[in-house]
Amino acid sequence: MTHQTSQLFAQLGISHDPRFTTTGLPPDRVHACKSAVDGSTIATIALDDAASYDATIARSHAAFLNWREVPAPQRGLLVRAIGDEFRTHKDALGRLLSLEVGKILQEGWGEVQETIDIADFAVGLSRQLYGLTMPSERESHRLMEQWHPLGPIGVISAFNFPNAVWAWNSMLAAVCGDTTVWKPSLLAPLTAIASNAIAQRVSERMGYKDLFTLVIGSDANVGERMVADRRLPLISATGSCRMGKRVGEVVANRLGRCLLELGGNNAAIVDQHADLALAIPAIVFGAAGTAGQRCTTTRRLIVHESIADDVCTRLVSAYKQVHARIGNPLEDGTLVGPLINARSGEGFDHAIAHAKTQGGQVLIGGSRVAVKGCENGIYVQPTIIRAPKSNQLAISREETFAPILYVFTFKSLDEAIAMNNGVDQGLSSSIFTDSMRHAELFLSGSGSDCGIANVNAGTSGAEIGGAFGGEKDTGGGRESGSDSWKAYMRRQTNTVHFGKTLKLAQGIRFD
Ligand code: UN1
């Protein structure tokens, strides 16, 4: 482990995680953890095999049998203490996250804040796991429903939100009486080890073992086992559409539940009534923030034809300022850090080459950037590509996890909404407008078909209080706020008869 990594772990109060002992293990059980900042190896960790995977699920299951007996408000107290521990360690954890996946520090801290926020939300929820009561059609009968703990929850997360997406799931799961088994991305296992250790040490202090467990390994060794494992009644998976289809298929085959949060291809509409002083910075953050590596990143811009040239000119000038601040994400003032790895860099290059052959015009960007001291990191310029007049640009139908924004034009709002909805994915969407009518049409049942639709706010950066997720190829799952907690519990309908003579429903007589 490098000095920097071990210092961060020390600041987080984690000195000897068994994951860091790799001596004597066969090479396929040892994983080199890279930093996206400069491509260097920052730690080596032990991976799970079939036996250690099995033992972890068994421990999680045993912990569940105990945890589900604890009253929900008491479970909330534990989550409150976990939230406080994340508050205390926000700085170091945000730094570790930035070092590992290359987010700028502001976003590293922002992500930990999201974890703190969902913990707070979950604490409140621990006293609000409400069921309904319904009027019974029968005299002297009570009809009601209640929500019970579900079991150990399998969480599969992606590299780009290596802390918060786990928290969305595990903090809710904990108040719902469930345990969590987390398989983080192999591109971000250090943030996972740290986050899980923080949650777990608080739990142990309060007398509960194995509420939060980790399984780390390849899809073949760990991922496939998890999705097929009947001991995990719910698999909550974040990642590509391809991965989600596989998870969905295997989990459906065992009649399990899954919660899928897959790719996005999010558009922002800018109509002729938009306040551009507000729209431009929102679009720049949505498209270039996190180097275009959020599932909520703005990838398509749909602009009214009367203002398209003006919007492009303003965006290009804003992007020039952003280009001057591409660099080491750990340094103050950097706005755009690296892509996660070389494969992402290739994805960026391919998308740009395709866009050009398909008639797209690069307005700004399109190249790799060399960052001093980070020569092996993959840095690229946030890029704007204007689609040809036909508005046809096949590459824009795919989600490329890089900062590329495709610009299209429209004449009527109907046309803009059809373009917004005209891709396979359905995660997030925005309209920038001061027209109440346009805003309401966009939010209406015949407006945006996405799970998230915003007015005068960008496609990314959702708050935890709302349900998060999307339709169509995005997978249909909802995580985080609102009533997403229901996915982590099982619903039971109860009929209680307090009369003396049997009464059958539907008026049936069986004398
Ligand atoms: C993701 O990219 O998988 O809305 C999650 C956002 C963040 C979460 C993104 N709160 O952009």
Side-chain angles (χ1 to χ4, degrees), residues 206-236:
M206 295 176 82
Y208 300 101
K209 269 176 33 185
D210 299 323
L211 297 185
F212 304 94
T213 49
L214 272 178
V215 285
I216 309 184
S218 63
D219 290 347
N221 288 340
V222 172
E224 288 287 340
R225 264 180 235 284
M226 268 180 98
V227 293
D229 198 326
R230 293 180 65 91
R231 293 171 293 181
L232 302 174
L234 170 68
I235 298 287
S236 174

Side-chain angles (χ1 to χ4, degrees), residues 66-82:
N66 178 40
W67 184 236
R68 68 177 177 182
E69 307 277 335
V70 176
Q74 283 183 39
R75 302 194 293 247
L77 292 182
L78 182 133
V79 170
R80 187 171 82 181
I82 293 173

Side-chain angles (χ1 to χ4, degrees), residues 114 160-161 165 168 238 261 293-296 459-462 468:
E114 210 166 315
N160 67 331
F161 273 79
V165 168
W168 290 352
T238 304
E261 204 267 276
Q293 299 173 106
R294 291 193 190 211
C295 53
T296 50
T459 59
S460 70
F468 184 93

Side-chain angles (χ1 to χ4, degrees), residues 64 67-68 72 75 125-126 129 147-150 171-178 485-486 488-489:
F64 164 70
W67 184 236
R68 68 177 177 182
R75 302 194 293 247
L125 195 59
S126 69
L129 302 170
W147 294 88
H148 291 309
L150 185 64
M171 296 301 112
L172 292 194
V175 297
C176 291
D178 303 328
W485 60 271
K486 290 180 175 169
Y488 304 82
M489 301 198 86

Side-chain angles (χ1 to χ4, degrees), residues 350-362 365-367 385 393 395:
H350 285 158
I352 287 176
H354 277 120
K356 283 182 185 162
T357 53
Q358 291 164 9
Q361 184 200 351
V362 178
S367 306
I385 297 183
L393 194 60
I395 187 69

